[in-house]
């Protein structure tokens, strides 16, 4: 039903998207969900997704804060971001502060604000390696 062309940018898009906010759709209010949500329209409010992620398409815009495990930005965010994993694509723009664990940025992407990364050592690092410097 939601078939689309596969291109290089779709390789990073999860297939378990359960909510789609279409290109010509506007929401004035906050969104809270569990699975992946794709936003191609405009949201004036916060987006919270504690268990999944948010994909902001090229035509998508969020004016509010985003909290999620994963965020993929092709569009525009005007607000603060609190995520584990952020992928800012070539067409993406973020205007706000970011708190995150992992951050990838493609050439051409724009962000204005502070970036604060979690600097704690991962639990996957062996105990004998944590104290070596």
């Amino acid at each position: 039903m939601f078939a689309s062309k596969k291109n290089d940018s779709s390789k990073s898009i999860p297939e378990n998207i359960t909510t789609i906010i279409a290109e010509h759709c506007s929401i004035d209010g906050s969104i809270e969900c569990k699975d992946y949500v794709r936003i191609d329209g405009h949201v004036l409010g916060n987006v919270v997704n504690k268990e999944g992620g948010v994909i902001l398409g090229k035509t998508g815009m969020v004016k509010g804060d985003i909290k999620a495990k994963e965020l993929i930005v092709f569009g525009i965010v005007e607000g603060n971001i609190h995520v584990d994993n952020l992928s800012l694509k070539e067409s993406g723009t973020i205007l706000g502060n970011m708190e995150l664990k992992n951050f990838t940025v493609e050439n051409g992407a724009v962000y204005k604000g502070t970036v604060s990364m979690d600097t704690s050592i991962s639990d996957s690092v062996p105990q004998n390696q944590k104290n070596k410097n």
Side-chain angles (χ1 to χ4, degrees):
M1 181 173 175
F2 294 110
S4 64
K5 296 179 193 174
K6 294 285 183 185
N7 58 32
D8 291 341
S9 65
S10 68
K11 291 178 185 175
S12 62
I13 305 293
E15 293 186 17
N16 58 340
I17 298 169
T18 58
T19 304
I20 298 174
I21 299 169
E23 183 175 348
H24 299 288
C25 181
S26 293
I27 294 179
D28 188 357
S30 295
I31 297 171
E32 189 169 333
C33 52
K34 290 184 179 181
D35 294 323
Y36 275 82
V37 60
R38 180 177 177 106
I39 301 170
D40 290 317
H42 292 203
V43 175
L44 180 59
N46 298 330
V47 179
V48 178
N49 190 335
K50 295 178 183 177
E51 297 178 27
V54 177
I55 298 125
L56 188 61
K58 284 186 178 181
T59 59
M61 175 184 273
V62 173
K63 288 187 177 184
D65 296 345
I66 299 176
K67 293 182 182 181
K69 285 200 177 279
E70 180 177 23
L71 174 60
I72 302 169
V73 178
F74 293 93
I76 300 171
V77 177
E78 292 182 17
N80 297 321
I81 294 172
H82 306 275
V83 298
D84 287 346
N85 301 303
L86 172 61
S87 181
L88 183 56
K89 302 299 185 178
E90 179 180 23
S91 59
T93 299
I94 296 174
L95 305 173
N97 299 323
M98 299 173 270
E99 291 182 7
L100 41 89
K101 291 183 182 178
N102 300 301
F103 187 23
T104 58
V105 182
E106 291 183 355
N107 288 336
V110 174
Y111 66 90
K112 182 176 181 180
T114 63
V115 178
S116 175
M117 295 185 75
D118 184 284
T119 58
S120 64
I121 298 174
S122 171
D123 291 335
S124 64
V125 176
Q127 287 294 327
N128 61 352
Q129 297 293 318
K130 286 186 179 182
N131 295 327
K132 288 186 177 181
N133 281 340

